[in-house]
Amino acid sequence: MKTRDSVGVECLRWLTVGFFLWAWLPFAGAADRVVIGNVSRTVEQLPNYAATDKGFFAQEGIQGDVVLIGSTDTLIQALIAGHVQVAIVDPSAAINAVERGASLKIIGGTVPIAAYTLVSCPKYKAIKDLKGTTIGVVSLVSGSTIFLREMLKAEGLELNRDYSIIQNGPTTQRLASLKACNTSATMILGGDLPRSRELGFPEIARLHDYIPNLQFHSLIVDGRWAENNNQLTVRYLKAMVRALQWAHANRQAAAELVTQRTGIPIKYTRATVDDYLSQGIISRDGSINRDGFQRLIDLMGERLFKSRPYPAPEKYLDMSYLRRAHQELGISAGR
């Protein structure tokens, strides 16, 4: 038979246990933190904005923290070092890193078509006028720089023989350099065209007219991190796919969200977002444009690989997580 004192001790013990259980419960269900690296705030980052602001990350138990790293090269280095878990950027720097031994994998994509335009300081009116000048780029090895070289090569201009390039940061910095004509031209994305036009920069060439089909923004991870966090990786992709679907179903709200996040006036984001969604520049389901990815590998091939045949996209892709995300969401893939 228990004494009053023993009952009191037992009650106290259970109250103590109960308190610690109560105190611990909120943390037991705490969201998993995923640090996501971007280069800059652009229209192309719409899916990431939607996943955060419309609650898709939260619904998948994820705290998605975005950091801005103004260089593609530095972003990929941060990914390799484990400072970020996902990099949303064109895959060219990741391909370079894999060829140097990194364990990176592309697990999906948000922008399957690269929509670049070459704009210039007002005194230059055509690509041929850029001979003998210095062109500003976001990164020496980024996709946009590879595309730039191909466009100028098609017009007879070769890097280092006819022009030079300089890394001078994200779009705002490159446009500022153009305004002073410190550089002659730069590649910008469709979402930045309205601002460029207001500043009076001529649009002297479109990437689409030279290379019409190239995979752009991709979801890049360290393959070992994804393997060790496979359920989290699938949940992350589910949130991103849901964000993509939301954007396609809510164009006006998507444009307003881009304006809130980038500061670009709604009169510009409305038209750009509508064009991007209508033309498939923003994906519906996170799939990779495999033909566009192979085209990128081929463009990089002469400088990166010793001989043909160049690698197939599957060397760099791991679509198993996206397939699981699609399965759990009950959707069929199809860009």
Side-chain angles (χ1 to χ4, degrees):
M1 181 175 178
K2 294 182 179 179
T3 65
R4 180 181 300 178
D5 288 344
S6 66
V7 171
V9 170
E10 187 171 345
C11 288
L12 179 61
R13 180 171 66 84
W14 281 107
L15 283 171
T16 303
V17 171
F19 171 79
F20 281 109
L21 284 173
W22 170 83
W24 178 81
L25 279 173
F27 298 99
D32 291 309
R33 184 170 185 250
V34 177
V35 182
I36 303 155
N38 300 163
V39 172
S40 59
R41 294 184 180 90
T42 65
V43 177
E44 289 73 18
Q45 293 293 345
L46 166 59
N48 203 39
Y49 304 150
T52 303
D53 293 10
K54 297 303 172 182
F56 300 120
F57 280 149
Q59 290 166 28
E60 294 293 340
I62 293 171
Q63 176 187 326
D65 292 338
V66 177
V67 295
L68 294 179
I69 300 175
S71 160
T72 306
D73 305 5
T74 307
L75 174 53
I76 293 300
Q77 290 167 11
L79 179 64
I80 293 170
H83 301 312
V84 302
Q85 283 74 58
V86 183
I88 305 180
V89 69
D90 82 81
S92 55
I95 292 171
N96 271 302
V98 169
E99 292 304 318
R100 295 195 303 269
S103 58
L104 303 185
K105 289 292 183 181
I106 289 90
I107 59 171
T110 54
V111 183
I113 301 171
Y116 274 106
T117 298
L118 182 63
V119 301
S120 65
C121 167
K123 67 181 180 180
Y124 304 109
K125 305 299 183 184
I127 285 181
K128 62 181 178 61
D129 298 334
L130 302 179
K131 188 172 184 178
T133 70
T134 298
I135 300 173
V137 298
V138 65
S139 164
L140 299 179
V141 297
S142 68
S144 59
T145 304
I146 295 168
F147 309 154
L148 169 73
R149 292 173 66 161
E150 291 299 316
M151 292 166 66
L152 270 61
K153 183 178 180 180
E155 299 293 339
L157 300 186
E158 292 285 350
L159 179 63
N160 297 327
R161 186 192 71 186
D162 301 305
Y163 67 95
S164 60
I165 58 175
I166 183 172
Q167 181 172 317
N168 61 352
T171 305
T172 51
Q173 293 175 213
R174 298 199 313 278
L175 291 182
S177 181
L178 277 192
K179 191 172 183 180
C181 281
N182 293 327
T183 50
S184 59
T186 195
M187 296 278 275
I188 64 170
L189 290 163
D192 295 310
L193 279 175
R195 177 173 36 167
S196 174
R197 287 166 181 160
E198 283 193 342
L199 292 170
F201 300 133
E203 298 162 27
I204 60 176
R206 294 188 310 161
L207 175 62
H208 181 81
D209 295 330
Y210 292 82
I211 314 169
N213 187 30
L214 285 164
Q215 171 67 35
F216 192 48
H217 275 185
S218 303
L219 306 175
I220 309 167
V221 300
D222 187 309
R224 295 167 300 184
W225 176 86
E227 185 176 351
N228 292 333
N229 298 273
N230 60 89
Q231 291 294 337
L232 175 57
T233 303
V234 172
R235 283 159 43 211
Y236 167 78
L237 287 170
K238 286 170 65 178
M240 290 298 289
V241 171
R242 293 173 67 195
L244 289 164
Q245 294 180 326
W246 175 87
H248 278 272
N250 299 274
R251 296 189 180 192
Q252 176 61 29
E256 292 170 356
L257 177 58
V258 171
T259 289
Q260 293 166 12
R261 284 301 204 102
T262 66
I264 301 171
I266 188 67
K267 63 180 179 179
Y268 298 135
T269 59
R270 186 183 293 115
T272 303
V273 167
D274 190 64
D275 285 346
Y276 273 25
L277 296 171
S278 298
Q279 298 173 28
I281 293 172
I282 290 179
S283 173
R284 285 184 177 273
D285 64 7
S287 296
I288 287 291
N289 170 5
R290 190 187 182 285
D291 291 343
F293 200 98
Q294 184 66 66
R295 181 67 175 124
L296 176 60
I297 292 171
D298 293 343
L299 288 177
M300 299 176 70
E302 292 182 10
R303 302 177 185 91
L304 185 59
F305 307 109
K306 294 181 179 179
S307 61
R308 290 181 180 271
Y310 301 145
E314 285 69 28
K315 179 176 181 179
Y316 313 99
L317 305 179
D318 185 347
M319 297 292 100
S320 63
Y321 302 103
L322 186 62
R323 286 194 293 270
R324 286 171 55 192
H326 285 164
Q327 184 177 22
E328 292 185 19
L329 290 171
I331 66 173
S332 57
R335 190 172 60 83

